[in-house]
Amino acid sequence: MTVPMAVQGGDAVNKDTNWSRRSFLTTRGLGASAGGMLGLLVGDRSVPACGVLPPRLEVCYSRRAMACEFSVFLPPTVPCGMNAADAALDDIQALEAILTVYSTTSLMSYVNQNGFPGPVRTDGRIFHLLQRAAELTALTDGAFDVSAGALVRAWGFLKGPRRVPGEDEWAAAMSSSGMRHVELDEQQQTVRYRVARLEINLGAIGKGYAIDRAVGRLQEEYGVTSALIQGGLSSMRAVGSCSDDEEGWLVGIQNPLDPGRRVAVVRLRNRAMGTSSANRQHFEAGGRTYGHILDPRTGRPADSDLAGATVLAPDAATADALSTAFFLMGLDKVRDFCHNHPEIAALLVLQPGKSQRTQASPQIVTFNLTKKDYQLTG
């Protein structure tokens, strides 16, 4: 475990941020990031957008898990803060051991190997997560679907090499994908696959779920009322506010089209945030570029009008799942979803138009965010 820098919230310039399509305003380095696509900000505006700052108020405990770094930010006044952070990070590592599909000995891999013909009795944590995943599949009309592992494998996004599958391989993977083929027995806590070669991959929700479990332990066992847990470049959940800002934790959202800049700053309090973008991970074949986010409805990489989708939700698992779904759904369907689910907020970065000469000025659309929630950077 390491105990690196600590960061504090800072003020940002007010902008007129109504729910509308907006032009991006050039950043001036509002603060430094503790991560990537999502990162805590500090008050020193002289620091570049991706700079590193010396310690300030909050204490940060970090550990690597799920192929990324998880960080627990706590005020220095939290009793037994190191013990609390260690316990939270222990929970995350314990979940990785059962959820990962990169180990053939994990429980999730065992379910994938034996779910057909099944049934397979599971750990209660996996079963609960699969139930929630099935609910989110229904809510998003299939844009989010953890049972598309066969497609992930066919495109080489699991262990490589990345490639465009042939039509026969693609068709076989499509026939072995879909939550409609997964049978969950709540009473017996079992999972059964109705088709062979179906694989569940929890990568788009597992990190958020681990953060939720860790937050629960901080609150229930240690009585923590102020904390933020960040997982990698895409997931975080805030409890209360940081030490010097009652309005919440100040979080920066990176421009997916220009990683050295930020598109917005968001105040996060008692809710979670997740973000998705295909610009960081992709491969080229036959003169085309393919992003790593697969659309389970088509079995092919996303063809979206969005460059990035950030979601605020009550819990991190939901924020993670919906950020992936929103990226695939596109602007119009996200608007409808947020209209029907006021507890969900979104900040969307649109793909640049053909006449747009620079990637540094994307257009931004927000839903269910108020002026107090966020500010466009400029």
Side-chain angles (χ1 to χ4, degrees):
M1 183 191 74
T2 59
V3 186
M5 72 170 190
V7 297
Q8 80 178 53
D11 295 330
V13 180
N14 289 324
K15 300 291 177 189
D16 178 15
T17 49
N18 292 323
W19 297 2
S20 62
R21 189 172 298 202
R22 293 291 308 276
S23 294
F24 171 78
L25 302 175
T26 304
T27 63
R28 291 181 303 207
L30 284 175
S33 171
M37 290 298 292
L38 301 178
L40 287 172
L41 295 183
V42 297
D44 186 353
R45 295 181 190 168
S46 66
V47 177
C50 292
V52 178
L53 287 187
R56 298 297 290 268
L57 293 183
E58 314 305 314
V59 180
C60 174
Y61 306 86
S62 296
R63 194 186 301 174
R64 192 161 181 83
M66 299 186 178
C68 69
E69 184 173 276
F70 281 82
S71 298
V72 178
F73 294 87
L74 297 171
T77 55
V78 171
C80 303
M82 183 176 292
N83 291 340
D86 268 342
L89 294 168
D90 284 346
D91 276 5
I92 290 170
Q93 286 191 314
L95 278 169
E96 177 185 23
I98 68 170
L99 298 181
T100 181
V101 294
Y102 290 93
S103 168
T104 58
T105 60
S106 73
L107 182 53
M108 192 67 253
S109 290
Y110 178 81
V111 173
N112 282 336
Q113 294 158 12
N114 298 278
F116 179 84
V120 178
R121 188 179 297 276
T122 65
D123 179 283
R125 292 167 293 183
I126 282 186
F127 190 85
H128 173 75
L129 183 53
L130 291 178
Q131 281 187 313
R132 182 56 182 154
E135 293 169 355
L136 289 164
T137 298
L139 278 175
T140 60
D141 294 326
F144 174 78
D145 195 327
V146 297
S147 66
L151 287 164
V152 175
R153 186 179 294 276
W155 282 87
F157 286 122
L158 184 64
K159 297 182 179 180
R162 296 179 179 183
R163 61 192 184 276
V164 178
E167 286 299 307
D168 289 345
E169 185 181 7
W170 168 83
M174 283 292 289
S175 67
S176 297
S177 300
M179 283 301 289
R180 67 189 181 280
H181 300 309
V182 179
E183 183 180 299
L184 302 174
D185 187 324
E186 185 170 13
Q187 184 174 359
Q188 298 296 323
Q189 298 278 287
T190 59
V191 182
R192 187 176 79 86
Y193 299 165
R194 297 189 179 103
V195 295
R197 295 181 296 278
L198 187 142
E199 296 181 42
I200 285 177
N201 186 325
L202 296 167
I205 192 173
K207 192 186 305 179
Y209 180 67
I211 290 175
D212 290 333
R213 297 278 302 193
V215 165
R217 184 154 189 198
L218 288 178
Q219 293 176 314
E220 295 165 14
E221 188 170 333
Y222 293 90
V224 171
T225 58
S226 176
L228 185 142
I229 300 182
Q230 177 171 350
L233 309 182
S234 61
S235 312
M236 61 172 57
R237 180 171 168 180
V239 177
S241 299
C242 55
S243 298
D244 67 337
D245 190 342
E246 295 182 356
E247 297 300 319
W249 299 79
L250 201 61
V251 178
I253 300 174
Q254 192 180 68
N255 182 347
L257 301 171
D258 186 353
R261 298 177 181 271
R262 299 191 181 282
V263 292
V265 175
V266 176
R267 290 194 182 276
L268 200 61
R269 178 183 172 88
N270 295 326
R271 57 181 174 177
M273 181 182 291
T275 192
S276 291
S277 169
N279 294 72
R280 280 180 164 266
Q281 298 185 49
H282 58 269
F283 72 95
E284 295 183 3
R288 292 186 57 185
T289 299
Y290 298 91
H292 75 288
I293 299 180
L294 294 177
D295 190 333
R297 300 166 300 182
T298 66
R300 305 187 188 280
D303 181 17
S304 177
D305 57 359
L306 303 181
T310 297
V311 172
L312 281 72
D315 62 273
T318 299
D320 272 7
L322 289 183
S323 69
T324 300
F326 283 10
F327 182 81
L328 295 168
M329 290 162 60
L331 178 60
D332 292 339
K333 290 185 179 179
V334 172
R335 177 196 59 214
D336 295 341
F337 186 100
C338 290
H339 176 75
N340 294 320
H341 299 87
E343 76 282 6
I344 302 299
L347 187 148
L348 310 177
V349 180
L350 304 189
Q351 289 282 8
K354 293 182 179 179
S355 62
Q356 197 167 330
R357 291 181 296 175
T358 175
Q359 291 184 333
S361 53
Q363 291 183 303
I364 310 298
V365 180
T366 68
F367 299 107
N368 295 343
L369 288 173
T370 69
K371 291 182 179 180
K372 292 183 178 180
D373 293 324
Y374 80 109
Q375 295 151 341
L376 296 183
T377 55

